């Protein structure tokens, strides 16, 4: 078993862990981040995409509101490449409680969030798709934020400073010796290989899994897990983020991201950090809530739905208390110094908060880490922009279209919805060396199959290229295609009515009738079942 | 609002046309119904919002893919056992007549469809992945690829730089099933590598002799030991028959076509040729215009209203055939609340069991038995193809409902989609024109 020694081990490749890795590196501490899947696949990759202005929390959670507006300003400065400055609107309709508006306005003033009142005409001019039945509207500095870009920038910058990040490495055990955590055992989630990392200090930034990780050292960290579902519609509808001006509730934020509009979210307590299932009523609810604000959206085409799990921190004094509704549980974060709380040195847990506040969370957590290491070096992550060589915007459709129009494309377009070319695909396959590669990995790398047709066309093409490139006689392409088809289907399963139902009729027709994939995998499936039995 | 007014309340004077039959829908069933009616001497108008599934389907005619022996005999047996199944309602004779009429119709329009005349069995045709499908009938260029009696290797030809066909995957899967197969890549003459031709675009290049000859020259030296030479189904659009024949001559081996990703050339050729033929027969063909409303009085449809160029035109007929293609082509609508409805006549529908959408799909797309939404959604009809209500009574006396509008079969898994389209189209025309059904037995 291989062994590595680092100064600090960061667990979790979400926004919090990545920001902490970067913060540590800037303070001169070389660290290693480990992530059980790929970067940005936990809650940070399944969120609503909103760089909060704080407006949502001014009434229920003023402290978080203040943190949000401060960090909103910082992230705009240090990570402009990840942010689209859509601006935000809070709009009230006749169905919303009128007495909430003055409370909310006062809350914004208190938190220092700049707002601007708009007339009905101004709203109509700015966002013609919104209902004319608006009783109050305010502009606010919300923005949309690409977590994938942000996280990768944090990690790349840290790597430049000598730190590193390993993906597909799961912490299976924390090593405890003489009253201190001294490292962790890792398992490769693809190959099962084991290794050990020794560290002077371990930072637990495992998001919804933070409780599970703490438990590996025998500690009890209470987090409230709360699942939320979002639905992406296939056009933007609006160009500004629209929030309903009412106490936070289900389905009241609409975020234009890239080419889509994301409706969300629900809020359902769960016990399992990996619980990302979606129920049909949640989808209908998102649409029903959006319809009065964006009339006609219900007849639109829902492209994808996904769910994420909020890791909400419940401070000991609040335990056993019921919040009025789950949207009102505090979004504040906590840094737990287990040396102080549990008399166990070498472990710090950071949990709660928002993606918007990830840098701040990292700053506070790293302060405690340095304390334990006996160092005092100030945080500088808010001081200057993150270095990015070339903005990695290739997953933004307009950017790829622009490249294409300006002659920067070579070779065939394999995925037309998301503009993925054959050279890109080949390079991505190449990058896996002789490691196994699933079409779904290529999807995450390139956005292959993420558009309206959901791999109806590019699935076969990508499988053919994979087969050609790997030259594997065992039908790797066929199996990869079958897996990809089912993977894509899982994502749209809750959205199969109207247009998307027709799309999947077409996809099913292609796979069954044109290609005969179902007939080919039947023996494979039977073999698998026999093996399992 | 008066009946002859439009949505905006104004009257439009134009729109008077009257025909014997109006067929709504330009899928295989709609085209076949219009074709039969024309051949029977009726005055026909075909109206459709767009083309049907033939534009995305493999191109062959699946009648009863699971049949191991005589296909029609299998249909006959099925019809007896399942009187409520579309085959049970239309009858095996309608199936046989429907196939033969369709073959004759296509031939008049200049396209050839073949079936295994020597034994009446299904063929064994390969897909682009190398799976074997078992349709009863196929466009001639596909039927040449019948692997039933093949002896010797199959050579599969891909075009370098063309993204829609990868022979290696097919070769692998064919070998795994005991066939001999090889892949060959050739280059497309003069095709710009920065342009991705769709199958229909590439097919037009194959109308050109210099183009296909350049391909045949590259293939010929590698085909000496091949029993058959397979190409993606792009061998010509308007010159298809010649292209296939000439390429086979030059290569010296039979040449066959393999279905591609959509658009489907066999379906495209069929749609083009049949429309052309119908216009030639002085039928009216309007593809691209939706029927927005039907006027029904006392259980009879009097007219339909068609939107074209911002106007509403009203067309009258004695008989109407509804071939609007079910869920895929807009003949049946669905929404997120789990409602299903037929938009034109608001016909009673059979729907999947269960309360809401949760029961529409199985959790795997390629689940062996398919999804309830596609098997259990549709219109119930009587043997005359007249739509029925829940009590089993006809609701419209001069409307027939055919093809994928019908409940009781899954077009994606049951291996009978085109068979049902042709059988019910034939049956509907027989009823509409009160023609005598010829009894045939086989
Ligand atoms: C539905 C929803 C909508 C949201 N919308 C917004 C929004 O619009 N704006 C906003 O600012 N915030 C939003 N949030 C909150 C925000 O997404 C989260 O607060 C934030 O992403 C948490 O980041 P994290 O890094 O702490 O956790 P995560 O992103 O979950 O990262 C933790 C990582 O740790 C890894 N891990 C766990 N256990 C192990 C182990 N044993 N070994 C190795 N790795 C491990 C996981 O795989 C995971 O990648 C939303 C949250 C939800 C659920």
């Amino acid at each position: 078993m291989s062994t590595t020694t680092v100064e600090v081990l960061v667990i979790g490749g979400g926004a919090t862990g990545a920001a902490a890795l970067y913060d540590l590196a800037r303070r001169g501490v070389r660290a290693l981040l480990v992530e059980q899947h790929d970067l940005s696949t936990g809650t940070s990759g399944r969120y609503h995409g909103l760089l909060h202005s704080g407006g949502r929390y001014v009434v229920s959670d003023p402290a978080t509101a203040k943190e949000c507006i401060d960090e909103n300003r910082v992230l705009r400065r240090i990570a402009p490449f990840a942010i689209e400055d859509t601006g935000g609107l809070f709009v009230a309709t006749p169905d919303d409680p009128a007495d909430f508006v003055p409370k909310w306005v006062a809350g914004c003033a208190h938190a220092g969030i700049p707002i601007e009142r708009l007339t009905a005409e101004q709203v109509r001019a700015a966002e013609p798709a919104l209902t004319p039945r608006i009783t109050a509207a305010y502009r606010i500095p919300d923005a949309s934020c690409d977590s994938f870009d942000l996280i990768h920038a944090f990690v790349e910058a840290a790597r430049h400073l000598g730190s590193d990040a390993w993906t597909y490495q799961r912490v299976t055990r924390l090593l405890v010796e003489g009253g201190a955590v001294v490292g962790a055992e890792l398992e490769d989630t693809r190959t099962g290989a084991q290794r050990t990392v020794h560290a002077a200090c371990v930072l637990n930034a495992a998001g919804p899994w933070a409780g599970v990780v703490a438990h590996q050292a025998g500690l009890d960290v209470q987090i409230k897990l709360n699942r939320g579902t979002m639905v992406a519609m296939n056009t933007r509808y609006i160009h500004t983020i629209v929030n309903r001006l009412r106490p936070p509730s289900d389905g009241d934020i609409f975020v234009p991201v890239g080419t889509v509009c994301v409706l969300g979210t629900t809020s359902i307590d769960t016990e399992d950090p990996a619980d990302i299932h979606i129920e049909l009523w949640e989808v209908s609810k998102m649409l029903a809530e959006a319809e009065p604000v964006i009339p006609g959206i219900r007849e639109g085409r829902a492209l994808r739905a996904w769910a994420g799990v909020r890791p909400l921190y419940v401070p000991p004094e609040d335990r056993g208390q019921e919040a009025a509704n789950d949207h009102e549980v505090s979004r504040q974060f906590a840094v737990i110094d287990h040396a102080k709380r549990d008399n166990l040195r070498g472990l710090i847990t950071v949990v709660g908060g928002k993606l918007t506040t990830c840098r701040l969370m990292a700053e506070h957590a790293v302060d405690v880490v340095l304390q334990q290491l006996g160092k005092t070096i100030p945080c500088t992550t808010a001081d200057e922009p993150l270095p990015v060589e070339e903005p990695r915007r290739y997953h933004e459709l307009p950017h790829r279209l622009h490249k294409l129009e300006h002659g920067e494309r070579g070779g065939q377009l394999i995925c037309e919805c998301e503009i993925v070319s054959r050279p890109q695909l080949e390079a991505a396959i190449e990058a896996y060396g002789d490691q196994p590669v699933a079409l779904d990995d290529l999807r995450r790398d390139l956005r292959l199959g993420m558009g309206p047709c959901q791999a109806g066309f590019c699935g076969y093409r990508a499988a053919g290229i994979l087969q050609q490139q790997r030259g594997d006689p065992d039908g790797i392409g066929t199996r990869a295609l079958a897996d990809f088809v089912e993977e894509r289907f899982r994502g749209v399963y809750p959205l199969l009515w109207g247009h998307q139902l027709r799309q999947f009729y077409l996809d099913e027709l292609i796979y069954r009738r044109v290609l005969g994939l179902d007939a080919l995998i039947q023996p494979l499936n039977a073999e698998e079942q026999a093996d399992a039995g | 609002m008066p009946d002859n007014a439009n949505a905006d309340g104004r009257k439009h004077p134009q729109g008077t046309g009257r025909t014997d039959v109006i067929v709504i829908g330009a899928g295989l069933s709609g085209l076949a119904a219009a074709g039969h009616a024309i051949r029977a001497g009726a005055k026909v108008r075909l109206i459709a919002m767009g083309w049907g599934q033939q534009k995305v389907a493999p191109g062959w005619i699946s009648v009863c893919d699971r049949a191991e022996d005589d296909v029609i005999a299998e249909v006959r047996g099925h019809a007896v056992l399942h009187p409520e199944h579309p085959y049970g309602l239309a009858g095996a004779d309608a199936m046989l007549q429907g196939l033969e009429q369709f073959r004759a119709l296509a031939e008049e329009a200049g396209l050839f469809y073949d079936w295994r005349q020597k034994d009446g069995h299904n063929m064994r045709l390969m897909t682009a992945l190398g799976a074997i499908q078992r349709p009863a009938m196929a466009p001639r260029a596909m039927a040449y690829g019948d692997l039933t009696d093949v002896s010797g290797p199959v050579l599969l030809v891909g075009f370098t730089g063309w993204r829609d066909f990868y022979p290696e995957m097919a070769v692998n899967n064919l070998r795994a099933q005991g066939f001999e197969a090889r892949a060959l890549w050739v280059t497309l003459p003069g095709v710009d590598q920065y342009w991705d031709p769709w199958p229909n675009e590439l097919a037009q290049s194959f109308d050109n002799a210099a183009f296909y000859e350049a391909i045949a020259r590259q293939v010929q030296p590698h085909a000496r030991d091949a029993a058959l030479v397979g190409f993606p189904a792009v061998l010509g659009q308007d010159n298809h028959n010649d292209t296939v024949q000439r390429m086979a001559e030059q290569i010296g081996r039979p040449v066959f076509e393999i279905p591609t990703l959509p658009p489907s050339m066999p379906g495209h050729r069929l749609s083009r040729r049949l429309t052309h033929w119908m216009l030639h027969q002085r039928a009216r063909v309007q593809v691209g215009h939706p029927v927005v409303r039907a006027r029904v009085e006392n259980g009879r449809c009097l007219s339909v209203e068609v939107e074209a160029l911002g106007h509403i035109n009203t067309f009258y007929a004695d008989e109407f055939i509804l071939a609007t293609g079910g869920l895929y082509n807009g003949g049946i609508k669905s929404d997120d609340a789990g409602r299903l409805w037929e938009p034109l006549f608001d016909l009673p529908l059979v729907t999947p069991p269960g309360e809401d959408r949760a029961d529409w799909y199985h959790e795997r797309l390629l689940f062996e038995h398919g999804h309830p939404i596609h098997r259990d959604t549709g219109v119930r009809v009587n043997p005359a193809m007249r739509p029925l209500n829940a009590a089993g009574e006809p609701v419209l006396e001069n409307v027939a409902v055919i093809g994928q509008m019908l409940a009781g079969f899954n077009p994606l898994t049951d291996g009978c989609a085109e068979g049902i389209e042709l059988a019910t189209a034939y049956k509907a025309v027989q009823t509409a024109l009160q023609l005598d059904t010829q009894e045939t037995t086989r």
Side-chain angles (χ1 to χ4, degrees), chain A residues 227-244:
Chain A
R227 181 171 63 80
T229 290
M230 288 141 285
V231 179
M233 307 301 291
N234 84 328
T235 70
R236 272 167 83 103
Y237 288 92
I238 46 175
H239 297 290
T240 315
I241 289 166
V242 174
N243 304 259
R244 296 191 70 167

Side-chain angles (χ1 to χ4, degrees), chain A residues 414-415 422 425-426 429 437-440 442-443 448-449 455-472 474-485 511 515 517 520, chain B residues 128-129 163-170 172-173 185 261:
Chain A
I414 299 307
C415 169
R422 180 162 183 154
L425 192 67
E426 286 173 343
I429 296 171
V437 50
L439 294 184
D440 200 47
L442 302 173
R443 171 188 69 82
L448 178 84
F457 287 71
C458 66
Y460 165 72
R461 296 174 183 153
I465 291 167
L466 180 64
Q467 173 91 45
Q468 250 187 317
Q469 207 162 327
R470 289 272 165 121
D472 178 348
D474 294 334
I476 174 177
T478 308
R479 185 78 248 185
L481 183 56
D483 291 344
F484 195 42
V485 169
Y511 288 122
L515 296 173
L517 182 62
L520 292 170
Chain B
L129 272 183
R163 63 185 176 182
D164 275 347
F165 186 64
Y166 301 86
E168 282 89 355
M169 279 199 292
N172 271 338
N173 287 319
W185 289 93
L261 293 180

Side-chain angles (χ1 to χ4, degrees), chain B residues 250-390:
Chain B
Q250 285 186 25
I251 293 171
R253 290 285 175 267
V255 159
F256 70 99
E257 285 196 319
I258 302 159
T260 62
L261 293 180
S264 156
M265 276 316 291
H268 185 65
R269 291 173 193 132
L270 183 70
S271 310
R272 275 173 76 86
R273 293 277 185 145
L274 283 183
T275 332
H276 203 83
W277 176 86
M278 285 179 197
L279 291 170
H280 212 73
Q281 308 297 313
R282 305 197 171 277
R284 316 274 167 172
V285 181
Q286 287 168 279
V287 179
H289 307 300
V291 174
V292 290
R293 216 162 76 92
R295 209 175 114 199
V296 174
E297 261 171 37
N298 303 324
R300 279 189 74 81
C301 179
L302 303 180
S303 62
V304 292
E305 293 176 4
V306 177
E307 198 183 281
L309 304 171
H311 292 295
I312 302 281
N313 293 320
T314 306
F315 297 109
Y316 300 83
D318 299 328
E319 286 281 342
F320 295 82
I321 297 179
L322 187 68
T324 42
L327 280 162
Y328 176 61
N329 272 328
I332 295 172
K333 305 264 188 196
S334 59
D335 73 8
D336 71 280
R339 280 183 291 258
L340 292 159
W341 69 99
E342 190 283 310
L344 219 45
F345 296 95
D346 199 18
L347 291 174
L349 290 184
V350 180
T351 56
E355 293 283 289
D356 58 16
R357 293 196 288 118
D359 302 309
W360 288 6
Y361 286 87
H362 186 268
E363 61 190 23
R364 285 195 309 112
L365 181 67
L366 299 183
F367 174 61
E368 230 181 301
H369 306 294
H371 303 289
I373 184 73
H374 296 313
R375 180 182 312 282
D376 299 335
T377 308
V379 178
R380 260 181 73 206
V381 293
N382 65 16
M385 300 292 125
R386 302 296 188 203
L388 304 177
N389 62 18

Side-chain angles (χ1 to χ4, degrees), chain A residues 15 34 38 106 113 170 271 290 301 341 345 459 481 501-502:
Chain A
V34 291
D38 205 347
I113 302 169
R170 175 183 289 142
E271 298 293 313
R301 175 165 174 174
R341 200 193 80 166
R345 277 175 296 114
L481 183 56
L501 182 153
R502 298 172 63 190

Side-chain angles (χ1 to χ4, degrees), chain A residues 166-177:
Chain A
W166 295 348
T167 53
Y168 298 99
Q169 300 293 326
R170 175 183 289 142
V171 171
T172 50
R173 205 160 74 88
L174 288 173
L175 304 174
V176 182
E177 266 171 36

Side-chain angles (χ1 to χ4, degrees), chain A residues 12 14-16 35-36 43-44 47-48 50 171 208 310 354-356:
Chain A
T16 315
E35 162 57 47
Q36 61 183 347
T43 308
S44 302
Y47 89 131
H48 203 167
L50 178 60
V171 171
R310 299 182 180 88
K354 302 294 297 175
L355 192 122
T356 307

Side-chain angles (χ1 to χ4, degrees), chain A residues 10-19 33-52 56-57 68 75 143 145 147 151 166 168-173 185-187 189 204-210 212-213 216 226-230 241 253 255 264-267 273 306-312 331 350-358 361:
Chain A
V10 178
I11 305 173
T16 315
L33 180 151
V34 291
E35 162 57 47
Q36 61 183 347
H37 304 297
D38 205 347
L39 294 176
S40 190
T41 50
T43 308
S44 302
R46 321 188 124 264
Y47 89 131
H48 203 167
L50 178 60
L51 181 71
H52 279 284
R56 185 172 176 77
Y57 304 111
C68 282
L75 287 184
C145 172
S147 60
I151 288 168
W166 295 348
Y168 298 99
Q169 300 293 326
R170 175 183 289 142
V171 171
T172 50
R173 205 160 74 88
E185 263 173 28
L186 308 183
E187 184 186 81
T189 48
N204 170 13
W209 290 268
V212 178
V213 169
Q216 292 173 359
N226 184 263
R227 181 171 63 80
T229 290
M230 288 141 285
I241 289 166
I253 311 184
V255 183
T265 74
T266 49
S267 176
W306 63 93
V309 178
R310 299 182 180 88
L312 304 177
R331 262 43 172 181
V350 54
V351 68
K354 302 294 297 175
L355 192 122
T356 307
T357 57
C358 66
M361 293 165 68

